[in-house]
């Protein structure tokens, strides 16, 4: 099976072009094997690029533990780059079908190479039953929650996939590794959750680290950065247009007046290879 290794600011995935081939086994079992950084190719998960009846292509994303996610921000930018550069659809903008519907992606192309992509990520989802989070209210903003004797204020946002955002004075020590997995699997989140730890640098700038559902700490999370922007506006910490600094690089996020969240960032192809059948 041919694969392509790509990443969005260090959030790296193994991509399989399912227009041209089929998988040797179910993606839920292939993803952990191919994502293993010692015994496999290595990555935060597996992303399938498939034909679609309603868009130029369809994306399915499987985390490193084999769980399928509804949406993927860094990954969908890479899908758009692949679809354009490998001739599946030489269009700009592109439409990509995802677990949360069809998204529109605008490409920045130089010398026939896709450099950066702006994704209309759609509207944030705040109603607790739709995140889902088992708390009452119109939206969960700065809700106190104690884990491991640490009381935090959580803000819950779905971008198609669930996010638990926590603003802290400083992201230090083992906070991410200690608290991330406990919140990922906390009973409040029936589908588990991604967990973002955020330092506000100014009204228009934040630094974040992320513990991802099904993958652990990653260098970046696109849907997570969108959730951080929304949570920052709801809690009056951030403007609607922010630069988010992640371990792997920066993303520009804007929550526009039409209630859609836009994410702009790079997408890179690293290498191709053959996975033995
Ligand atoms: O929701 C989840 O289970 C995430 N781990 C999916 C991957 C999210 C991603 N890192 C992103 O950029 O949104 C790809």
């Amino acid at each position: 099976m041919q694969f392509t290794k790509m990443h969005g600011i260090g959030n790296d995935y193994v991509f399989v072009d399912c227009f041209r081939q089929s998988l040797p086994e179910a993606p839920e079992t292939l993803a952990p094997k191919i994502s293993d950084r010692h015994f496999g190719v290595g990555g935060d998960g597996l992303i399938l690029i498939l034909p679609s009846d309603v868009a130029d292509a369809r994306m399915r994303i499987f985390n490193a533990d084999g769980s399928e996610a509804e949406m993927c921000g860094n990954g969908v930018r890479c899908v758009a780059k692949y679809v354009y550069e490998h001739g599946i659809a030489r269009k700009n903008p592109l439409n990509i079908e995802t677990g949360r519907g069809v998204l529109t992606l605008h490409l920045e192309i130089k010398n026939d190479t896709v450099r950066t992509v702006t994704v209309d990520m759609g509207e944030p989802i705040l109603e607790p039953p739709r995140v889902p989070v088992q708390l009452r209210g119109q939206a969960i903003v700065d809700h106190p929650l104690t884990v491991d004797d640490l009381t935090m204020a959580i803000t819950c946002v779905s971008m198609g996939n669930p996010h638990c955002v926590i603003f802290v004075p400083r992201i230090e020590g083992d906070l991410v590794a200690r608290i991330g997995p406990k919140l990922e699997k906390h009973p409040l989140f029936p589908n588990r959750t991604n967990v973002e730890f955020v330092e506000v640098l100014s009204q228009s700038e934040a630094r974040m680290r992320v513990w991802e559902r099904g993958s652990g700490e990653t260098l970046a999370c696109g849907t997570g950065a969108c959730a951080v922007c929304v949570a920052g506006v709801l809690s009056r910490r951030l403007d609607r247009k922010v630069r988010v600094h992640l371990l792997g690089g920066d993303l520009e996020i804007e929550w526009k007046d039409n209630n859609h969240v836009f994410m702009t960032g790079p997408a890179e192809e690293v290498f191709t290879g053959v996975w033995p059948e």
Side-chain angles (χ1 to χ4, degrees):
M1 176 189 79
Q2 299 273 342
F3 68 83
T4 301
K5 185 74 189 302
M6 304 181 79
H7 74 88
I9 54 172
N11 188 200
D12 61 330
Y13 291 87
V14 179
F15 290 75
V16 179
D17 179 346
C18 296
F19 280 84
R20 301 182 169 117
Q21 60 187 334
S22 54
L23 298 185
E25 64 181 282
E28 292 81 0
T29 56
L30 178 60
K33 296 175 192 171
I34 208 165
S35 302
D36 190 293
R37 295 190 186 280
H38 300 285
F39 300 101
V41 174
D44 292 328
L46 168 70
I47 291 182
L48 309 183
I49 304 171
L50 301 135
S52 167
D53 296 331
V54 297
D56 298 307
R58 179 186 174 205
M59 173 185 76
R60 290 183 72 189
I61 169 184
F62 296 83
N63 292 307
D65 69 353
S67 61
E68 183 168 9
E70 306 84 344
M71 183 45 209
C72 170
N74 290 316
V76 78
R77 297 198 312 274
C78 294
V79 168
K81 176 182 176 73
Y82 184 96
V83 165
Y84 183 88
E85 292 182 359
H86 290 259
I88 292 173
R90 301 283 290 186
K91 287 170 59 185
N92 188 11
L94 280 169
N95 292 321
I96 306 292
E97 181 187 358
T98 73
R100 75 153 307 177
V102 177
L103 303 183
T104 300
L105 294 85
H106 289 263
L107 317 179
E108 184 201 335
I109 302 163
K110 285 183 185 150
N111 305 325
D112 215 29
T113 300
V114 177
R115 302 289 183 191
T116 57
V117 181
T118 295
V119 190
D120 178 347
M121 298 285 283
E123 300 185 351
I125 298 163
L126 303 174
E127 301 87 340
R130 296 178 62 209
V131 172
V133 56
Q134 292 179 333
L135 290 169
R136 296 182 184 286
Q138 290 295 314
I140 307 303
V141 180
D142 280 345
H143 180 91
L145 180 68
T146 300
V147 171
D148 250 14
D149 297 331
L150 180 67
T151 298
M152 300 161 285
I154 66 168
T155 299
C156 301
V157 178
S158 168
M159 292 305 300
N161 57 349
H163 295 272
C164 177
V165 180
I166 301 149
F167 292 93
V168 294
R170 288 197 51 76
I171 308 170
E172 54 194 4
D174 64 351
L175 179 67
V176 178
R178 183 162 56 87
I179 303 297
K182 292 190 172 66
L183 279 175
E184 175 195 357
K185 301 177 178 70
H186 195 283
L188 283 180
F189 300 100
N191 296 347
R192 299 188 290 166
T193 188
N194 299 285
V195 188
E196 286 80 19
F197 300 90
V198 190
E199 279 178 38
V200 174
L201 304 176
S202 75
Q203 286 283 124
S204 59
E205 210 170 353
R207 176 181 299 120
M208 69 173 263
R209 284 173 64 181
V210 59
W211 180 271
E212 281 203 33
R213 175 180 64 170
S215 294
E217 180 165 16
T218 64
L219 296 187
C221 183
T223 51
C226 295
V228 163
C229 175
V230 172
V233 172
L234 293 175
S235 59
R236 303 184 190 290
R237 292 182 175 93
L238 293 171
D239 294 338
R240 297 180 75 92
K241 186 170 183 178
V242 291
R243 173 180 290 260
V244 181
H245 302 289
L246 300 106
L247 292 178
D250 295 351
L251 291 174
E252 300 291 338
I253 311 292
E254 184 172 3
W255 186 10
K256 294 195 172 182
D257 293 341
N258 67 353
N259 198 34
H260 282 222
V261 182
F262 287 77
M263 168 189 64
T264 300
E268 304 282 345
E269 181 174 327
V270 186
F271 64 89
T272 59
V274 178
W275 178 258
E277 300 288 332

